[in-house]
Amino acid sequence: MVVKVISANYAVSHAVKLAKPQVIPVYPITPQTSISEYLAKFVADGDLDSEYMLVESEHSAISAAVGASGTGVRVFTATASQGLALMNEILFVAAGLRNPIVMANTNRSLAAPLSIWNDHQDSISQRDTGWMQIYVENGQEALDSILRCYRISEDHDVLLPSMVCLDGFILTHTAEPVDIPSQKLVDSFLPDYQPQESFLDPENPRSLGTFTDPNYYMEARYQMEVAMEKSKKVIEKVNQEFNEIFGRDYSFVEEYRCEGAEIILITMGSLCSTIRDVVDDMRGRGEKVGLLKVINYRPFPKKEITEAVKNADRVAVLDKNISFGMGGALYTEIKANIDVESCGFIVGLGGRDITPKHIEDIVNKTRNPTKEITWIGLKEEV
Amino acid sequence: MEETNESPFMKYLRKDRLPNIFCAGCGNGTVLNTFFKGMEMAEMDLNNINMASGIGCSSRIPGYVKCDSLHTTHGRPISFATGLKLGNPNMDVVVFTGDGDAAAIGGNHLIHAARRNIDLTVICINNNIYGMTGGQISPTSPQGSYGSTAPYGTFEKPFDLVELVSGAGATYVARWTTVHPLQLANAIKKALKHKGFSFIEAVSQCHTYYGRKNKMKSPLDMLKWMEDNSINKRKADKMDPEELAGKLIVGEFVNKNQAEYSQELYNLIEEKSGNRSKSIKSAYMGD
């Protein structure tokens, strides 16, 4: 075991080096860029035997990733924000062609107005593309999730691409201790990718992505839905194996002091670390609050969330995104799927700071709700 | 009148936005100064200029200028500018862009705007690297140069932007560097007055990233490099390709008059709809 104090971007790069993808097409964008740079160095130094290509746009990066994956090899790319938005068209193609690509998305807000700071609008806006999504809380989870996602995506019951979402700057540019596993351990968990279907082989010619008339299209989409459903079993299996090999336990959701909690705060990503502290403080004062961290966002962990909040009086859902006219994405999904009284909160858009005081405010507002969706941290003059 | 050290162009800037984000010694300031100089020489009205820009250091320029501006997404300013020009053809539309913005992610828009010969003035500040994101290889990085994505030097062949837009159909094309401020200002003057697609390649120094990674740490090192390697087109025309390897050929490359896109489009609207035309143009110009 080697513990290093590194940024989440460096942790992702180490995970990629350990996963040994054969092709890496990338394009620089803040705050993803250092992932591209670390990988360029690994490849140039001979530490990673991979075809590394700096292409001319994110659209080209994901297109090259689809092409490479179509030949049946392991592929990695990374992006953020406008880059992910530019990839939108090809994200559907990657999922539809059943390419088990793994991509890191360093969460950043979308223009306009132009901002480079963190929120989840970029990846949340891609939730319907057919990609699986994981939101991580820290560098360790970022590293582990890349490895887990290759196993999940490449499973023949799944064959869907995965997006590992890590908060821009908050995680990508801050250093913390990360355990970098040995190559030997990783190899035992993640063997080389052996494609069996849906790839181009000159010995056995076939076409990918051909024109489909109404007789076939719907079945292709249904198969994706079946794969997304099946992925839940695969995720469970992979998490269990990961725990056995690396000693770190992952689940679809993570409960923190939810036992006996009257109010449970639900959110994703690095914000959970702030909330943990607030929960400890409030519990210390005898207030019954807990945190539920949603890790796997797609497939949506309906069963796990239902189980975790079943004894709570009420839940507060914190979204770093907004579906205008509707509320935050996680809130509306919980409202639609989980039988619990819930309040929605829009927080941290475009990097607006979320302080412990805001979190306490959210708990109080949830205890005495006056409206369905509340924006937290807005300037008074608005 | 009170003596002042203030730049005579300060009146064109949004002082409340200063100081700017550029590194000390960046070439963007020189290019902006030459733009104001060229604008004055061309007797253009800043109030009638609309600047569009994309993403990158050079694309931050319009934000400091006291005129209408549109800060857009990476690679797309020429597309937005095309819309501006067609919406109000009386407007003088200037695009500030860079090598990454115009030639990589936005390369398609660059060649198609040139092909259409739409009346835009595109000023591409070429620093041979992605400066904003920290020094990655761009499509104009010279072969063998170093960047954060090419720790052992890039083997890719770069674009010659002048050749690219000339081949695509641009009707005014010039290249100068930041050690040629007068020539650059003069070229900008001509480009602003030119009716059609004008392209100015302003080769500039990014000592922070390109310089540091390529043994030219100071802005002066980079200016010296540009000065030593620049060859005027008239002289270069008489030289062998081998002699010109690694050189910056500067000068005016294209200056010709051809039918301009927005004018042609409005001619067609008027021809087909006659007096009943309620075109966008009539909204601005009256019937």
Side-chain angles (χ1 to χ4, degrees), chain A residues 305-345:
Chain A
I305 298 176
T306 305
E307 181 61 29
V309 304
K310 66 177 184 214
N311 295 321
D313 293 343
R314 218 170 267 149
V315 301
V317 187
L318 285 67
D319 274 288
K320 283 188 185 178
N321 69 82
I322 171 77
S323 175
F324 292 105
M326 192 65 199
L330 188 58
Y331 166 69
T332 52
E333 289 174 6
I334 282 172
K335 189 100 177 157
N337 285 284
I338 319 285
D339 184 18
V340 64
E341 265 196 70
S342 51
C343 296
F345 296 91

XYZ file of all heavy atoms in Angstrom, chain A residues 305-345:
304
model
N -32.253 3.951 -1.566
C -32.658 5.223 -0.952
C -33.919 4.997 -0.106
O -34.015 5.458 1.029
C -32.901 6.315 -2.023
C -31.597 6.605 -2.799
C -33.404 7.607 -1.375
C -31.754 7.595 -3.948
N -34.870 4.233 -0.665
C -36.116 3.946 0.055
C -35.816 3.315 1.417
O -36.353 3.719 2.442
C -37.000 2.976 -0.772
O -37.196 3.553 -2.055
C -38.339 2.739 -0.102
N -34.918 2.349 1.408
C -34.554 1.626 2.631
C -33.904 2.587 3.645
O -34.229 2.562 4.834
C -33.588 0.494 2.241
C -33.115 -0.391 3.377
C -34.258 -1.127 4.083
O -35.285 -1.404 3.433
O -34.120 -1.406 5.301
N -33.033 3.465 3.122
C -32.265 4.344 4.020
C -33.129 5.412 4.682
O -32.839 5.832 5.805
C -31.117 4.996 3.254
N -34.180 5.867 3.997
C -34.953 6.992 4.543
C -36.300 6.561 5.135
O -37.091 7.411 5.539
C -35.197 8.088 3.467
C -33.875 8.573 2.891
C -36.124 7.592 2.357
N -36.513 5.238 5.211
C -37.869 4.780 5.556
C -38.344 5.249 6.936
O -39.532 5.419 7.162
C -37.987 3.261 5.411
C -37.142 2.491 6.396
C -37.354 0.995 6.239
C -36.543 0.297 7.318
N -35.998 -0.968 6.928
N -37.417 5.487 7.866
C -37.841 5.906 9.204
C -37.712 7.404 9.445
O -37.969 7.877 10.551
C -37.035 5.154 10.258
C -37.337 3.657 10.213
O -38.492 3.260 10.012
N -36.317 2.840 10.366
N -37.287 8.135 8.436
C -37.107 9.579 8.613
C -38.449 10.295 8.491
O -39.340 9.853 7.767
C -36.145 10.117 7.564
N -38.583 11.403 9.229
C -39.799 12.209 9.095
C -39.816 12.906 7.751
O -40.858 13.046 7.115
C -39.853 13.284 10.186
C -40.033 12.664 11.571
O -40.422 11.484 11.606
O -39.758 13.358 12.565
N -38.623 13.398 7.392
C -38.557 14.227 6.204
C -37.128 14.201 5.650
O -36.178 14.023 6.415
C -38.914 15.674 6.592
C -39.740 16.393 5.549
C -40.249 17.695 6.094
N -41.577 17.569 6.683
C -41.998 18.302 7.700
N -41.203 19.185 8.261
N -43.222 18.162 8.149
N -36.983 14.398 4.341
C -35.627 14.483 3.783
C -35.438 15.835 3.103
O -36.389 16.430 2.590
C -35.309 13.345 2.775
C -35.441 11.975 3.427
C -36.173 13.439 1.526
N -34.190 16.312 3.123
C -33.800 17.531 2.394
C -32.859 17.098 1.285
O -31.868 16.414 1.536
C -33.084 18.495 3.324
N -33.202 17.447 0.040
C -32.358 17.040 -1.078
C -31.610 18.259 -1.605
O -32.228 19.270 -1.956
C -33.181 16.384 -2.206
C -32.244 15.817 -3.273
C -34.087 15.303 -1.645
N -30.278 18.178 -1.610
C -29.434 19.300 -2.023
C -28.915 19.064 -3.434
O -28.186 18.095 -3.671
C -28.263 19.471 -1.053
C -28.564 20.083 0.320
C -29.422 19.150 1.161
C -27.270 20.400 1.052
N -29.292 19.914 -4.353
C -28.889 19.758 -5.753
C -27.971 20.892 -6.177
O -28.296 22.061 -6.020
C -30.124 19.786 -6.656
C -30.769 18.424 -6.811
O -30.167 17.580 -7.493
O -31.858 18.220 -6.252
N -26.824 20.522 -6.785
C -25.950 21.536 -7.400
C -26.283 21.619 -8.883
O -25.407 21.588 -9.751
C -24.480 21.125 -7.249
C -23.885 21.352 -5.876
C -22.374 21.083 -5.988
C -21.672 21.147 -4.669
N -20.243 20.823 -4.837
N -27.566 21.625 -9.177
C -28.029 21.702 -10.565
C -29.456 22.181 -10.522
O -30.091 22.139 -9.466
C -27.958 20.325 -11.237
C -28.973 19.385 -10.645
O -30.148 19.401 -11.007
N -28.549 18.571 -9.697
N -29.981 22.614 -11.656
C -31.368 23.052 -11.690
C -32.002 22.690 -13.028
O -31.440 22.971 -14.079
C -31.487 24.580 -11.407
C -32.883 25.123 -11.642
C -30.482 25.404 -12.213
C -33.846 24.803 -10.550
N -33.138 22.020 -12.954
C -33.947 21.839 -14.150
C -34.993 22.952 -14.076
O -35.941 22.870 -13.300
C -34.605 20.459 -14.142
O -35.465 20.340 -15.249
N -34.764 24.018 -14.841
C -35.548 25.238 -14.666
C -37.054 24.966 -14.777
O -37.493 24.257 -15.672
C -35.120 26.312 -15.678
C -33.740 26.816 -15.406
C -32.668 26.425 -16.214
C -33.480 27.654 -14.331
C -31.391 26.871 -15.952
C -32.197 28.103 -14.061
C -31.157 27.706 -14.869
N -37.783 25.518 -13.823
C -39.227 25.317 -13.796
C -39.635 24.034 -13.114
O -40.823 23.711 -13.052
N -38.676 23.288 -12.593
C -38.984 21.965 -12.035
C -38.263 21.704 -10.711
O -38.781 21.007 -9.852
C -38.584 20.906 -13.066
C -39.086 19.517 -12.774
S -40.886 19.460 -12.849
C -41.184 17.959 -11.932
N -37.061 22.242 -10.535
C -36.279 21.950 -9.329
C -35.033 21.154 -9.662
O -34.760 20.855 -10.824
N -34.283 20.785 -8.618
C -33.058 20.009 -8.832
C -33.376 18.599 -9.297
O -34.436 18.061 -8.996
N -32.453 17.996 -10.022
C -32.705 16.683 -10.623
C -32.878 15.593 -9.570
O -33.815 14.793 -9.631
C -31.570 16.327 -11.574
N -31.970 15.566 -8.585
C -32.048 14.503 -7.578
C -33.340 14.658 -6.758
O -34.014 13.680 -6.447
C -30.816 14.555 -6.659
C -30.652 13.409 -5.667
C -30.579 12.059 -6.365
C -29.420 13.616 -4.790
N -33.695 15.911 -6.453
C -34.924 16.169 -5.686
C -36.152 15.667 -6.436
O -36.990 14.947 -5.871
C -35.051 17.671 -5.398
C -36.427 18.057 -4.916
C -36.879 17.657 -3.658
C -37.286 18.793 -5.732
C -38.141 17.991 -3.211
C -38.557 19.132 -5.291
C -38.987 18.722 -4.041
O -40.243 19.044 -3.615
N -36.262 16.020 -7.708
C -37.467 15.623 -8.444
C -37.527 14.104 -8.605
O -38.613 13.517 -8.591
C -37.533 16.301 -9.831
O -36.307 16.064 -10.521
C -37.746 17.783 -9.716
N -36.369 13.468 -8.705
C -36.371 12.007 -8.851
C -36.749 11.318 -7.536
O -37.457 10.309 -7.533
C -35.012 11.538 -9.373
C -34.829 11.950 -10.831
C -33.467 11.654 -11.405
O -32.662 11.009 -10.720
O -33.214 12.088 -12.540
N -36.253 11.894 -6.435
C -36.616 11.320 -5.133
C -38.113 11.537 -4.880
O -38.827 10.641 -4.444
C -35.728 11.919 -4.024
C -34.359 11.234 -4.086
C -36.365 11.751 -2.635
C -33.301 11.815 -3.221
N -38.585 12.722 -5.223
C -39.996 13.052 -5.062
C -40.868 12.076 -5.869
O -41.926 11.639 -5.413
C -40.212 14.472 -5.568
C -41.563 15.050 -5.293
C -41.502 15.966 -4.089
C -42.835 16.617 -3.842
N -42.958 17.036 -2.447
N -40.410 11.727 -7.055
C -41.209 10.866 -7.933
C -41.119 9.395 -7.555
O -42.030 8.622 -7.848
C -40.744 11.057 -9.385
N -40.017 8.998 -6.914
C -39.760 7.571 -6.718
C -39.833 7.074 -5.286
O -40.009 5.890 -5.053
C -38.375 7.211 -7.261
C -38.349 7.170 -8.771
O -38.847 6.220 -9.358
N -37.819 8.200 -9.381
N -39.633 7.967 -4.324
C -39.492 7.524 -2.935
C -40.645 8.090 -2.110
O -40.933 9.286 -2.182
C -38.143 7.999 -2.319
C -36.981 7.871 -3.318
C -37.866 7.293 -0.996
C -36.440 6.520 -3.581
N -41.245 7.221 -1.336
C -42.399 7.640 -0.532
C -41.909 8.287 0.764
O -41.848 7.646 1.815
C -43.277 6.412 -0.250
C -44.542 6.809 0.489
O -44.883 8.015 0.460
O -45.170 5.931 1.112
N -41.528 9.550 0.666
C -41.069 10.276 1.844
C -41.339 11.765 1.635
O -41.303 12.250 0.497
C -39.558 10.020 2.095
C -38.704 10.560 0.951
C -39.099 10.618 3.415
N -41.624 12.477 2.714
C -41.815 13.927 2.595
C -40.461 14.569 2.311
O -39.490 14.309 3.029
C -42.377 14.474 3.914
C -43.885 14.584 3.920
C -44.353 15.475 5.053
O -44.117 16.694 4.978
O -44.919 14.927 6.007
N -40.406 15.390 1.276
C -39.088 15.914 0.899
C -39.133 17.402 0.568
O -40.150 17.926 0.111
C -38.543 15.125 -0.296
O -39.501 15.082 -1.323
N -38.008 18.090 0.836
C -37.842 19.495 0.461
C -36.623 19.591 -0.454
O -35.616 18.918 -0.221
C -37.574 20.350 1.693
S -38.939 20.365 2.851
N -36.712 20.450 -1.465
C -35.614 20.589 -2.419
C -34.821 21.864 -2.166
O -35.407 22.905 -1.856
N -33.511 21.765 -2.287
C -32.648 22.940 -2.105
C -31.654 23.041 -3.254
O -30.994 22.061 -3.598
C -31.897 22.844 -0.769
C -32.826 22.869 0.409
C -33.331 21.689 0.939
C -33.232 24.075 0.954
C -34.216 21.709 2.006
C -34.113 24.108 2.024
C -34.613 22.928 2.544
